[in-house]
Every structure is written in C-alpha cells, then in structure tokens.
Amino acid sequence: MGQLTSAERGFAAAILIALMVVGVAMAAAGRFDPIGIHGVIVLVYCGALFCYILTLAFGEEPDASRFSSYYDDPIKVGVALTLAWAIFGMFIGVWAAAQLAWPSLNFDTAWSSFGRIRPAHTTGVIFGFGGNALIATSFHVVQRTSRARLADQLSPWFVIFGFNLFCLIAVSGYFMGVTQSKEYAEAEWYADLWLVIVWIAYFALFVRTLARRKEPHIYVANWYYLAFIIVVAILHIVNNLAVPVSFGHAKSYTVWPGVQDAMVQWWYGHNAVAFFLTSGFLGMLYYYLPIRAERPIFSYRLSILSFWGITFFYMWAGSHHLHYTALPIWVQNLGMTFSVMLLVPSWASAGNAMLTLNGAWHRVRDDATLRFMMMAAFFYGLSTFEGSFMAIRPVNSLSHYTDWTVGHVHAGALGWVAMMTFGSLYTLIPSIWKRERMYSAALVEVHFWLALAGTLIYVFAMWNSGIIQGLMWRTYSADNTLVYSFVDSLLAMYPYYIARAFGGLLFLLGAIVASFNIWMTVRTAPAAEAVHDAPLTSGVLENAPAE
C-alpha cells in the first residue's frame, strides 16, 4: 500500500470506516446470534487495516514513476495469503480425515465435529488457497500479457482483502454451525452479498486492465481468467438467492423449491468445478507452462477451441449428479450426454499441455517445478476422463454416493489444482521478488515427491474404498435382503480411512516445505540481474504474434 497517494489512502480509510459501521450494526442487531459475532470480526478486521492505513498517513507521496512499472505489491500479498490458507485448509482436511478413523479426535466439542470442520476444510482450500492463487496469478498474467499496469491502485487491495474477509466470515461461521448446506456454497446470505460486491470490483479491474493493453490480441490465458470471473459471478448470484429470517439472524432460506433447488445447486456445483477449479487454473497452465518449458504452446487454435467447448458443454452437465432422483429423466440424460461430450474439449487442453512439453522432456526430468505442471496436466486428463465415465448412469449408481467420488474430487483437487498452483508459484515468485532462483531446488524436489506420494495414496485408498462400499451396499442374499449392514461397510473402510489421512498428511507436509522454501527465497535468495520487465506506457505492439 506504500504506492497509494494520500487521496487514495483517504478513500481506503473511508471505505474501512463504512465497513466498521456495518460491523457495528451487525453486532448490535445480531447480539448473541452468529451474525453478531461476525459483526465483531468485520469490525476487528477492518479496524486493523484502518490502523495500518493511519500509519501510512504521513508517509511520502509516491512519484509518477510508479506507473512505469507493474503493480506487484498486491500479488505478493496474495501469494502470502495463498500459502497461509493452504496450510490451514490442508491441516483441517487431515484432521477431518483422521476423525473418520478415530472419531474421538473431535474431543467431544461441537465446533470441532466432522460436520463443522469438513466445510471449513472445503472453503479453506477451494476459496482460501485456490481463490487467492487465482486472484494473485490473474493480476500477474493480465499485466504481463497486456504489457499494461493494473488499471487501478486501490481496487486490487479491495479485491484481495475483501475476498479474504469473505473467506474469514465463511470459515468462522462453519465452526459456529452456520451453513446453507449447499455444495461449495455454504456461507450464509450476508457473506454472499459481500462476495458479490468484491467480485464486481474484481471484474471491473480485470476488464479495465485488458482495455488498456498494449498488445493487439488478448492472450489465451486471459480468456480463461475472464470466463472464470464472469461465470462464477452468475453462478454465485443465482445459486444463493435466499430470504433471511431477519436482518439480525444468520439463517436464511433459499428461494428455490424442491427438485428445482437440487437442480440449481448442481448447476452451480458442477460449473463451480468448471469455472473456478478448471478455467482459472487452465489460465495458469497456458501462461506459466510455456514460460517454464521455454517453448510456445503447441497450438493456440486448439486452446481456443478447448475454451469454447468447455464453456458450452459444462453449462449443461450438472444434472448428471441427480440420476435416480425426482428430476425428470430427460434432464438427467441431458446432463449425462453433455458430460461424456465434455471429454473432448477437456482432453484438448490436457493434450495441448503434453504436446507443449514435446522436445522439453529433459527439462521435465531435471526441473521439479515443470514436473509439477506436467503432473497437473496428467491429473487433469485423468480426472476429466473419470468424470465423464462416472456420469454414465450405471457407473453413477455404483460411484456417486461412495468414497469413489471423494477419490475423484481429490484427484482433481490435489493432482490438478494444487500441483498447478505450486508449479505456477515456483515460476512466479523469483520473478516478482526479483530473485535469481528459488532458495532451494532440492526442497522443490522434496515437495514434488511428497505431493505426488500423498495424492496417489489418497486417491487409490478412496478408489478402493468407494468400489468396496458400492459393491457391499448392493449385495443381496437369496431371500432378497441386504447381506451387509451399513456398520459392516464402515468397518471395511477402516484401513482406507487411515491411508486417506496419511496421504493428506504427506500433502500437508509438502505445503509446509513449500512455504519455508518461498519464505527463504524472499529473504535470502540472491538477487537476479536486472531485466527489462515493465509495461508499455504508450503505443501498441504492431507485430505481435497472433494467439
């Protein structure tokens, strides 16, 4: 924030004062309701930022030369928050997995029960870790590919800190038992309203920066980031239309009734996977993979075809999650059909990534960072094949309510999302902190093998567990009664739940190693030689290659 002028600091202080007033109103209206506690959290969070702004009040004014460089300060804060949420979310995930094997680890307290820490894990990892990584890398990518500085000085900070306020309210609410009980959208109405405001600011900032670009074409990674920002906003608003019990209570009720609500939830849920957990991370892949491999993308045309295929097919695929429910059969089959068709554009991007590495396999062998990205592309291909397969009605009947689905989701989360993120961070961090390299290449290597071993143990354990569960639940005796009780299947799962917790623990250890390596890189790694890395302040590149 040291690059803000006194007028910009004053505007930031005014926003924070307004939010503190909102926090006081929430605390007064809610009193002992969870919304009252969230009011106190808003007050403390904004108060701390306000105090920091005050410490800058008498600082020197930045000179006009700030516009001749990229705006990397918000990216650095976004990277730090990404790592903090990674360790928090993965720790809670390991704890929740361990509770399945050893239930007494909830210590007989309500706030630490599985039902409360599980959504805290999901939100901490998806939105805290993944969301901050997407925001930070999108700020980096859009500037470098547009050869333009971010369009505003204050709104990047508003987006970063506003988004993390949403995450804080959501996660603290789960520990208090506040939840909408919707897949990937469990925060209550006031948190959802706040996220809409933050997301509009994010959209406006991204589009304004694109509009200022000095390149004639919009680089392909920005297509994916832009789709991520726009569609997530649409999904979030429609899925979270709700009526609160009162302005002094956290509880609300959705406006959607019955099976329509189920359909909206899965339209949101599946497209959240598409546009939050896929599209944005494909943006990372299409920017950082060519840089690290030192080769151009194999085919820009294929990446654009993949983009439009993913954008169109995903929208219709959500209803395959509702096989064997009250949803009309034709809607279920529509979702199944589009899910199978979705394999084509998904594998177009996975294949494009692999073919980009053609001729650079010696670099994959020697560079663990590039290996992170290669394994991410592999797991992306694997997960999208498995997802299409699991959408087929007979397979769905075996897989969908078992641990097979948990294994599928984590093959995507650990193998695709997290590995792509860490590969991108290892490429991004020396660049924005102007370091020659990471502090320790050996620690990157250790992190890679911890992450890969953890993912494989976790996924194989859940695949085995899920298939055994499904087969036990559908085994009938000669007199047409169930052979196994639910408790029998739970006992059979016991070794797999231990393996699941162990796999998650390895992945968490990898994240801790990464955080230490990044911290040491920032503090002690040798400075890089000065390279030209600045936006164009005027004109347009005329002979840039077409994307």
Side-chain angles (χ1 to χ4, degrees):
M1 293 186 194
Q3 294 191 42
L4 298 181
T5 63
S6 57
E8 289 162 349
R9 292 172 207 158
F11 190 39
I15 293 173
L16 290 169
I17 290 171
L19 288 174
M20 284 191 286
V21 171
V22 172
V24 170
M26 288 170 66
R31 290 194 285 183
F32 299 109
D33 190 87
I35 195 174
I37 298 172
H38 278 147
V40 174
I41 290 175
V42 171
L43 182 62
V44 172
Y45 184 90
C46 296
L49 288 174
F50 180 75
C51 291
Y52 181 71
I53 289 289
L54 285 184
T55 64
L56 303 174
F58 302 104
E60 293 182 4
E61 289 284 309
D63 57 41
S65 64
R66 64 175 176 161
F67 294 110
S68 63
S69 61
Y70 291 120
Y71 200 10
D72 287 343
D73 291 353
I75 302 172
K76 293 176 181 176
V77 173
V79 168
L81 290 167
T82 298
L83 295 170
W85 279 107
I87 293 174
F88 169 80
M90 291 174 194
F91 168 75
I92 297 291
V94 173
W95 186 11
Q99 280 193 14
L100 291 173
W102 303 286
S104 59
L105 286 176
N106 65 12
F107 307 113
D108 286 331
T109 52
W111 71 268
S112 61
S113 60
F114 182 86
R116 295 196 184 185
I117 66 173
R118 199 283 308 157
H121 158 65
T122 307
T123 296
V125 170
I126 292 180
F127 296 107
F129 169 57
N132 277 297
L134 287 168
I135 291 171
T137 56
S138 68
F139 285 174
H140 182 251
V141 172
V142 75
Q143 290 187 95
R144 264 65 180 187
T145 55
S146 300
R147 300 291 297 273
R149 184 182 165 94
L150 284 176
D152 191 27
Q153 311 309 304
L154 184 57
S155 62
W157 296 110
F158 180 81
V159 172
I160 288 279
F161 287 117
F163 181 74
N164 282 277
L165 177 59
F166 161 79
C167 294
L168 189 61
I169 291 174
V171 169
S172 59
Y174 305 144
F175 288 128
M176 292 187 285
V178 175
T179 173
Q180 284 190 132
S181 301
K182 292 188 172 189
E183 182 89 1
Y184 307 138
E186 291 161 290
E188 268 294 356
W189 60 275
Y190 47 94
D192 292 334
L193 284 174
W194 172 243
L195 185 59
V196 170
I197 296 169
V198 172
W199 218 252
I200 289 171
Y202 185 23
F203 172 72
L205 174 63
F206 196 86
V207 170
R208 286 175 59 205
T209 305
L210 280 180
R212 291 156 51 102
R213 73 184 186 278
K214 301 300 187 296
E215 298 277 0
H217 301 280
I218 299 176
Y219 187 77
V220 64
N222 293 318
W223 285 76
Y224 285 92
Y225 279 120
L226 195 55
F228 145 68
I229 297 169
I230 294 174
V231 179
V232 165
I234 297 169
L235 299 171
H236 175 78
I237 291 170
V238 174
N239 186 50
N240 289 297
L241 290 173
V243 179
V245 171
S246 79
F247 290 119
H249 289 83
K251 182 65 184 170
S252 66
Y253 291 95
T254 181
V255 301
W256 305 107
V259 74
Q260 287 91 341
D261 183 35
M263 183 63 243
V264 169
Q265 284 192 45
W266 274 115
W267 170 78
Y268 167 90
H270 203 71
N271 283 298
V273 171
F275 291 94
F276 202 101
L277 298 173
T278 299
S279 179
F281 291 92
L282 282 172
M284 284 190 205
L285 183 145
Y286 277 118
Y287 181 75
Y288 293 106
L289 178 67
I291 286 180
R292 197 71 191 187
E294 297 180 352
R295 297 178 64 80
I297 276 289
F298 171 72
S299 169
Y300 283 106
R301 290 181 177 84
L302 191 59
S303 63
I304 290 295
L305 285 173
S306 172
F307 170 81
W308 286 112
I310 288 172
T311 302
F312 178 72
F313 288 152
Y314 253 113
M315 281 292 172
W316 306 92
S319 58
H320 80 259
H321 289 277
L322 296 169
H323 284 320
Y324 310 103
T325 68
L327 194 73
I329 291 287
W330 73 267
V331 183
Q332 299 176 26
N333 289 338
L334 183 77
M336 178 179 70
T337 305
F338 274 88
S339 294
V340 174
M341 294 162 67
L342 191 53
L343 182 62
V344 176
S346 299
W347 272 31
S349 271
N352 209 0
M354 289 299 185
L355 289 169
T356 301
L357 294 172
N358 202 16
W361 292 109
H362 61 289
R363 292 184 57 80
V364 175
R365 181 193 62 201
D366 299 333
D367 184 355
T369 299
L370 192 55
R371 227 177 299 139
F372 264 111
M373 298 185 198
M374 184 271 290
M375 288 308 301
F378 170 79
F379 273 104
Y380 177 61
L382 173 72
S383 299
T384 49
F385 169 77
E386 189 184 25
S388 296
F389 183 60
M390 290 168 73
I392 298 170
R393 198 174 176 82
V395 181
N396 190 279
S397 71
L398 176 69
S399 70
H400 209 69
Y401 298 103
T402 70
D403 287 338
W404 185 354
T405 297
V406 179
H408 166 65
V409 167
H410 283 78
L414 303 178
W416 159 238
V417 170
M419 287 202 189
M420 192 65 236
T421 300
F422 284 118
S424 301
L425 290 182
Y426 284 136
T427 307
L428 162 75
I429 283 162
S431 169
I432 61 171
W433 266 282
K434 313 297 183 195
R435 295 291 182 261
E436 188 179 274
R437 53 175 171 73
M438 290 297 297
Y439 166 71
S440 169
L443 286 180
V444 179
E445 192 79 28
V446 168
H447 180 199
F448 172 77
W449 289 111
L450 282 171
L452 182 60
T455 303
L456 292 177
I457 291 171
Y458 192 110
V459 172
F460 276 109
M462 289 296 94
W463 278 346
N464 278 284
S465 168
I467 291 171
I468 291 173
Q469 269 180 339
L471 293 177
M472 290 179 77
W473 291 347
R474 59 170 55 183
T475 301
Y476 290 87
S477 65
D479 56 355
N480 211 28
T481 58
L482 288 172
V483 171
Y484 301 103
S485 69
F486 184 71
V487 173
D488 289 333
S489 67
L490 277 182
L491 291 174
M493 297 308 102
Y494 188 67
Y496 299 112
Y497 287 155
I498 295 175
R500 172 188 186 168
F502 181 65
L505 178 63
L506 291 182
F507 209 91
L508 170 63
L509 291 175
I512 293 171
V513 169
S515 300
F516 173 75
N517 199 5
I518 291 168
W519 172 255
M520 294 302 290
T521 300
V522 173
R523 290 181 60 86
T524 66
E529 293 181 9
V531 295
H532 181 72
D533 182 29
L536 288 179
T537 53
S538 63
V540 175
L541 292 181
E542 297 293 343
N543 298 316
E547 285 88 33

